[in-house]
Amino acid sequence: MELNRVKQILSSSADIEVTYNGVSVWIDKLNEDGKTATVHLRGANDFEERSHVDISEVKEQ
């Protein structure tokens, strides 16, 4: 996914489905490097582990 699209999704109030490695995730934030994002599994509680992933591997459904 491109950087600008990640920013659009983060600022949107819409529920935009994205996946990482085929698994549905929420994008929590774009990291300072502009190349990675922090994500967590959809449907997980607030205590679920978050992962730092390369935004190029995040796909919009």
Side-chain angles (χ1 to χ4, degrees):
M1 183 175 296
E2 293 183 0
L3 175 63
N4 285 338
R5 185 60 183 143
V6 173
K7 289 178 180 179
Q8 289 172 348
I9 290 171
L10 286 169
S11 66
S12 174
S13 61
D15 182 3
I16 301 168
E17 186 173 347
V18 297
T19 61
Y20 173 70
N21 286 340
V23 178
S24 187
V25 297
W26 287 107
I27 301 174
D28 296 316
K29 68 176 186 173
L30 181 64
N31 297 323
E32 290 182 16
D33 62 11
K35 297 178 182 179
T36 62
T38 302
V39 302
H40 72 276
L41 295 176
R42 276 183 177 256
N45 62 40
D46 289 339
F47 302 107
E48 181 69 30
E49 183 177 328
R50 278 146 170 81
S51 300
H52 298 280
V53 301
D54 191 313
I55 62 172
S56 67
E57 296 179 31
V58 176
K59 308 293 181 209
E60 185 173 355
Q61 297 303 299

